[in-house]
Amino acid sequence: MACPPPYSPSLFRKGDNASGASVVAIDNKIEQAMDLVKNHLMYAVREEVEILKEQIRELVEKNSQLERENTLLKTLASPEQLEQFQSRLSPEEPAPESPEGSEAPGDSSV
């Protein structure tokens, strides 16, 4: 998807007589150079935004899949298995009061 950014070849020509170059011509060259930089940056930012949007879509999809899997595993696990798992959790994560159904649906803490 890498296309060369647009540029003005006249920006790089040395056809102007240095002794007779006017301030207006210099200002025009500066403006052209600034436009070139702006166009290049905008192109790069748009490309990066598209990449990040795709990564977000993939992560949201993966998160949903893992939440469904987590819910299924909780449903299939026996109360003893859930209690055993909760006892192995790190101390930072609070254990639920009851091993069955105390968490809200969609909670992915397991």
Side-chain angles (χ1 to χ4, degrees):
M1 213 173 153
C3 297
Y7 67 93
S8 171
S10 66
L11 183 64
F12 303 105
R13 287 192 199 132
K14 298 204 177 218
D16 292 335
N17 185 351
S19 62
S22 69
V23 173
V24 174
I26 292 172
D27 286 346
N28 287 340
K29 294 287 184 181
I30 291 171
E31 188 174 336
Q32 287 176 349
M34 290 172 60
D35 285 343
L36 175 64
V37 170
K38 182 180 93 173
N39 289 338
H40 179 71
L41 287 174
M42 291 300 294
Y43 175 81
V45 167
R46 282 190 199 105
E47 191 172 84
E48 186 67 22
V49 164
E50 288 304 313
I51 291 169
L52 292 173
K53 282 181 179 179
E54 182 59 31
Q55 287 177 343
I56 289 169
R57 278 191 289 273
E58 290 171 3
L59 289 171
V60 166
E61 184 178 316
K62 181 69 172 174
N63 187 43
S64 296
Q65 176 189 351
L66 290 173
E67 285 178 351
R68 288 191 303 273
E69 183 180 325
N70 186 27
T71 302
L72 176 64
L73 291 173
K74 283 182 186 179
T75 314
L76 297 175
S78 69
E80 295 81 22
Q81 288 171 323
L82 287 172
E83 187 177 316
Q84 211 176 30
F85 179 75
Q86 290 296 333
S87 68
R88 293 181 185 174
L89 287 178
S90 62
E92 299 89 38
E93 295 184 39
E97 297 167 10
S98 168
E100 293 183 39
S102 64
E103 297 177 359
D107 185 9
S108 60
S109 64
V110 176

